[in-house]
Amino acid sequence: RLPFGDNTQVWDVAVEDNQIWVATSTQKPDGRWLNELHSSPDGRHWKTTLSFEAPTYAISFARFGTSIYWGLAGEGYAGTLLEFYPN
């Protein structure tokens, strides 16, 4: 069992660079979504690598170079990609 909240949906999982990466979304009381990317070297010790709020949830991610691409879902957002440039 992954150590995320009961209201948190796990959407995507990848293994790259000796890390497990997990994309999650949690709907907030105001209806917006907290989308997060978590990483772990061993599946026990997790850190939140990136988080952002949006009017919809992100169901997929891909790391390419120094960017992280997110696939958004939900009515009016399906097929939308977001690109983040981590510091």
Side-chain angles (χ1 to χ4, degrees):
R1 178 159 167 86
L2 294 172
F4 308 117
D6 291 338
N7 295 327
T8 299
Q9 176 69 45
V10 174
W11 292 107
D12 202 1
V13 177
V15 177
E16 297 177 17
D17 301 330
N18 295 316
Q19 294 282 318
I20 304 165
W21 299 87
V22 176
T24 65
S25 296
T26 307
Q27 191 168 26
K28 299 175 60 179
D30 66 2
R32 292 181 57 81
W33 290 84
L34 175 63
N35 298 286
E36 297 181 304
L37 182 61
H38 309 276
S39 63
S40 171
D42 58 14
R44 291 186 308 262
H45 303 94
W46 293 89
K47 71 177 182 174
T48 302
T49 304
L50 177 110
S51 66
F52 66 96
E53 286 187 27
T56 191
Y57 50 97
I59 61 169
S60 62
F61 78 98
R63 295 173 59 234
F64 183 74
T66 59
S67 298
I68 299 172
Y69 294 86
W70 291 86
L72 301 182
E75 188 172 336
Y77 293 95
T80 302
L81 286 178
L82 287 180
E83 181 180 11
F84 283 89
Y85 305 97
N87 295 337

